[in-house]
Amino acid sequence: MPLTADDDIRALLESARTIAVVGASDRPDRPSYGVMATLQRHGYRAIPVNPQITGEHVHGEFVFRELDQLGDSIDIVDIFRRSSAAGEVVDQAIAIGAKAVWLQLGVIDEAAAERAEAAGLKVVMDRCPAIELRRLNIAPVG
């Protein structure tokens, strides 16, 4: 069952340090651009993943094609993809040993959430970490 209790979401955000942002955009008008900036300002290392802009930089970070290229331990995989594409990203998150998957506002995939939980990952669905950081008044990390 995806995390919904404030204490659980707070614990996840307070324990995380590295967040992969799948679907990160280099366009300032896109929500993923602003959320990634908010995560960085809050002290997280936010790593952009987007095959359409691989090799570019977003907010100073190199953009990777796939999660399995990161090489770093990932605490949360933040998914900015349509619900129909979220399952594939969740499967990649499981494969790389991420600790949690976070499906953004409007992104819902119950079957993918069940697979993630069965693999030991925490799941947040249909929420935005930038909103939750403010709403829960979580102190910057680091």
Side-chain angles (χ1 to χ4, degrees):
M1 177 137 203
L3 302 180
T4 57
D6 287 353
D7 288 343
D8 294 335
I9 292 169
R10 178 188 315 281
L12 176 60
L13 289 169
E14 288 179 343
S15 68
R17 294 296 176 267
T18 305
I19 301 174
V21 182
V22 177
S25 178
D26 59 354
R27 294 177 23 209
D29 62 319
R30 303 293 298 182
S32 62
Y33 185 89
V35 168
M36 186 174 161
T38 298
L39 293 172
Q40 285 181 325
R41 281 193 305 271
H42 216 78
Y44 298 102
R45 173 150 187 235
I47 304 170
V49 178
N50 186 333
Q52 294 180 334
I53 56 172
T54 299
E56 301 293 326
H57 287 80
V58 175
H59 299 301
E61 289 280 350
F62 180 86
V63 181
F64 290 88
R65 174 177 283 286
E66 300 285 339
L67 285 172
D68 64 5
Q69 296 178 317
L70 300 183
D72 293 328
S73 176
I74 303 299
D75 297 312
I76 300 173
V77 175
D78 186 12
I79 304 172
F80 277 93
R81 300 288 314 273
R82 293 181 311 280
S83 295
S84 61
E88 179 182 342
V89 179
V90 169
D91 292 339
Q92 292 172 14
I94 294 167
I96 67 162
K99 296 175 185 157
V101 290
W102 191 299
L103 286 70
Q104 274 290 335
L105 289 171
V107 182
I108 299 169
D109 186 331
E110 298 290 348
E114 288 176 15
R115 289 195 306 277
E117 290 170 338
L121 280 72
K122 294 182 177 168
V123 177
V124 178
M125 192 161 38
D126 194 24
R127 291 180 185 247
C128 176
I131 292 170
E132 297 301 311
L133 288 169
R134 286 187 296 271
R135 185 180 73 80
L136 297 172
N137 197 30
I138 295 173
V141 298

